[in-house]
């Protein structure tokens, strides 16, 4: 396997296989979601703000819980994901919960001709950009689908955390995008370690500088870049809550010394400028 399209197709199959296990997992807790209609964390709720009456495009939406959460809060939503099983599940939940939403099955880097609408907000979160080899194309896609004055928002695992082994604290992966993907054979899934799955995953590292500059290069103005020394999910090895019941997690022994997540808000003020 030596072509980027092969890597992406392998990853697509992985997420198709993961989806049924994620839907049944305690990690996603779909039963509680059906009652609360909210899967969002305080970080993104505060930083995105009021979405009532706004149009929102959710990139890499998985099976749609966050997308439908924004719909419940009053946004007109469209979710995109490359895994057909995830999109089918999202559509079923939308109908069951009577939360109107549009879902599109596509690689987010291949949206040309699939979504022509311009949005007030483009949103993505947690564990998303590592699956993308080309952030310039990603940022161009975002800019092209934002209305003038609209904004992009991302909350994401900090790339420094992604380089380190939480158990040994040794550097395991490059902080920078080396163009060739890292690959690792994974058993189970972060949402269900007992799931009878075994896959080789292909991911790309992206530094904070690469993320920020890709957005700037494509006509977006950075409104803020925040970094936090905690994470809202217990999905890495060797984690503990900052305080019992807080819902914020850190790698044991790291405390506030290492950033665990970052968030960016960026506004489209200029027309996208294609990279030469």
């Amino acid at each position: 396997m030596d072509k980027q399209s092969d890597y992406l197709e392998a990853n697509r199959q992985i997420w198709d296989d993961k989806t049924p296990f994620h839907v049944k997992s305690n990690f996603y807790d779909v039963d509680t979601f059906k009652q609360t209609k909210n899967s969002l964390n305080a970080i993104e709720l505060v930083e995105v703000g009021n979405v009532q009456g706004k149009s929102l495009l959710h990139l890499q939406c998985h099976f749609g819980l966050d997308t439908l959460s924004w719909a419940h809060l009053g946004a007109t939503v469209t979710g995109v994901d490359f895994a057909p099983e995830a999109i089918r599940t999202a559509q079923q939940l939308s109908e069951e919960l009577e939360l109107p939403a549009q879902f599109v099955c596509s690689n987010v880097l291949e949206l040309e001709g699939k979504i022509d609408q311009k949005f007030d907000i483009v949103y993505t979160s947690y564990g998303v950009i590592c699956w993308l080899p080309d952030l310039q194309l990603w940022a161009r896609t975002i800019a092209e689908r934002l209305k003038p004055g609209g904004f992009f928002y991302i909350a994401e695992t900090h790339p420094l955390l992604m380089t380190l082994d939480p158990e040994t604290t040794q550097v395991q992966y490059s902080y920078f995008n080396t163009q060739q993907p890292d690959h690792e054979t994974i058993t189970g899934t972060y949402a269900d370690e007992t799931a009878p799955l075994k896959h080789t995953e292909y991911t790309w590292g992206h530094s904070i500088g690469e993320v920020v500059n890709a957005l700037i290069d494509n006509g977006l103005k950075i409104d803020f870049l925040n970094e936090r020394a905690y994470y809202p999910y217990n999905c890495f090895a060797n984690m503990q809550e900052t305080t019992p019941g807080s819902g914020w997690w850190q790698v044991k022994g790291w405390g506030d010394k290492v950033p665990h997540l970052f968030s960016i808000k960026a506004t489209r003020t200029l027309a996208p400028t294609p990279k030469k």
Side-chain angles (χ1 to χ4, degrees):
M1 182 177 293
D2 59 359
K3 294 181 180 178
Q4 194 173 99
S5 59
D6 293 331
Y7 299 139
L8 294 173
E9 174 56 26
N11 287 341
R12 185 205 61 76
Q13 184 60 58
I14 288 167
W15 283 95
D16 248 6
D17 294 344
K18 285 181 178 182
T19 297
F21 295 98
H22 286 188
V23 173
K24 293 185 250 182
S25 70
N26 292 330
F27 183 92
Y28 282 97
D29 194 3
V30 172
D31 287 340
T32 297
F33 174 78
K34 288 180 179 180
Q35 299 172 33
T36 65
K37 300 180 175 63
N38 178 59
S39 61
L40 300 165
N41 300 297
I43 293 168
E44 50 266 35
L45 285 168
V46 170
E47 293 188 336
V48 171
N50 184 8
V51 299
Q52 181 70 43
K54 296 181 180 178
S55 56
L56 182 147
L57 175 63
H58 182 186
L59 302 180
Q60 295 170 271
C61 69
H62 197 21
F63 64 96
L65 296 191
D66 279 12
T67 322
L68 296 173
S69 297
W70 291 120
H72 180 61
L73 291 171
T76 302
V77 299
T78 300
V80 178
D81 198 272
F82 69 169
E85 184 64 29
I87 290 297
R88 281 193 291 271
T89 302
Q91 291 170 331
Q92 290 168 358
L93 284 169
S94 172
E95 294 169 6
E96 178 185 345
L97 299 177
E98 298 182 340
L99 290 171
Q102 178 184 5
F103 288 99
V104 176
C105 188
S106 175
N107 184 320
V108 297
L109 302 182
E110 299 172 353
L111 283 184
E112 189 68 35
K114 297 175 183 176
I115 297 178
D116 297 322
Q117 180 185 350
K118 306 291 186 183
F119 295 84
D120 297 306
I121 302 166
V122 176
Y123 167 88
T124 194
S125 69
Y126 303 110
V128 285
I129 58 174
C130 65
W131 304 99
L132 304 176
D134 186 346
L135 289 196
Q136 284 290 337
L137 178 54
W138 169 78
R140 194 176 317 147
T141 298
I142 291 164
E144 288 173 347
R145 280 151 189 84
L146 276 173
K147 297 176 182 178
F151 69 85
F152 167 68
Y153 178 83
I154 179 172
E156 177 61 293
T157 312
H158 200 285
L160 181 59
L161 182 67
M162 297 291 285
T163 68
L164 301 172
D165 183 327
E167 296 183 296
T168 67
T169 71
Q170 298 298 306
V171 175
Q172 188 171 14
Y173 300 107
S174 173
Y175 180 80
F176 302 101
N177 187 352
T178 61
Q179 304 306 315
Q180 288 299 312
D182 293 311
H183 63 278
E184 185 176 5
T185 299
I186 305 292
T187 55
T189 166
Y190 62 88
D192 181 358
E193 294 179 356
T194 66
L197 299 172
K198 186 175 182 179
H199 295 112
T200 299
E201 300 181 345
Y202 300 87
T203 57
W204 290 263
H206 301 292
S207 68
I208 291 287
E210 184 187 1
V211 176
V212 168
N213 286 324
L215 296 169
I216 292 171
D217 288 346
N218 287 278
L220 300 182
K221 179 183 72 69
I222 305 299
D223 298 312
F224 61 69
L225 163 60
N226 292 324
E227 299 172 285
R228 291 179 170 84
Y230 51 82
Y231 204 71
Y233 303 108
N234 180 19
C235 60
F236 298 106
N238 199 32
M239 298 191 88
Q240 64 183 11
E241 281 188 290
T242 55
T243 56
S246 68
W248 304 121
W249 298 83
Q250 294 174 323
V251 176
K252 292 179 184 177
W254 289 8
D256 294 335
K257 298 175 183 177
V258 176
H260 286 54
L261 71 85
F262 73 93
S263 58
I264 294 173
K265 180 181 177 184
T267 300
R268 183 190 163 190
T269 58
L270 303 172
T273 303
K275 294 289 287 183
K276 294 182 180 179

